[in-house]
Amino acid sequence: MRNQVDHGDSKTFGASCPAGKNRAYSMSTNPGSSIPLSFMLYEGPSLSPVIGILGASNTKWGAASLPLGLASLGLPGCSLQVSYDLTFTARTRSEGSAQLDLRLPGLPSLANKMVYFQWLTLDNRVNPGFPIAL
């Protein structure tokens, strides 16, 4: 069936920051599909720039182990969950949602590969003096 060719698999991992906000979901696809690899953010800050972080790992970023807690930066409960390999910018809508769509080239070497994604938001709900959340 066509949908078995076009769709990959996605799973939620990690925790949002602030807790219960900045919820992220994805819809995956296979390389070369007409359907984009989509990453969605819900309950983020309204009308705000956001950065999508795409990583090849959710256990290591260079010498650092992931998740990497950010409490020492004044962001208790926040952590970097993915390796910081590629970034993409977007902007949230008035209700705090954002979406990033990536088209994957039809390269057989990309089939069955795993990627990890996390949103970074300009968000003062954790620490107004350092307005970042993940």
Side-chain angles (χ1 to χ4, degrees):
M1 297 186 82
R2 182 75 190 177
N3 66 350
Q4 292 172 331
V5 174
D6 287 345
H7 293 282
D9 186 23
S10 63
K11 295 179 177 90
T12 301
F13 67 97
S16 63
C17 160
K21 303 294 182 187
N22 292 327
R23 296 177 299 113
Y25 296 96
S26 69
M27 292 189 330
S28 61
T29 184
N30 286 326
S33 168
S34 61
I35 300 169
L37 175 59
S38 296
F39 302 99
M40 286 82 65
L41 169 69
Y42 300 100
E43 295 185 51
S46 178
L47 301 172
S48 177
V50 292
I51 296 173
I53 305 167
L54 186 70
S57 177
N58 71 342
T59 59
K60 283 286 200 193
W61 179 37
S65 293
L66 298 173
L68 180 62
L70 302 177
S72 64
L73 297 176
L75 300 171
C78 298
S79 60
L80 181 63
Q81 301 277 338
V82 305
S83 57
Y84 206 103
D85 299 326
L86 293 172
T87 60
F88 304 89
T89 59
R91 187 167 184 84
T92 60
R93 298 174 189 94
S94 60
E95 77 282 357
S97 70
Q99 182 167 334
L100 177 65
D101 295 326
L102 302 175
R103 297 239 178 246
L104 300 178
L107 301 174
S109 62
L110 293 177
N112 297 313
K113 298 294 183 191
M114 182 79 77
V115 296
Y116 302 90
F117 189 87
Q118 183 174 19
W119 290 99
L120 184 146
T121 64
L122 291 179
D123 190 336
N124 64 6
R125 294 179 288 183
V126 177
N127 180 346
F130 190 48
I132 292 177
L134 294 125

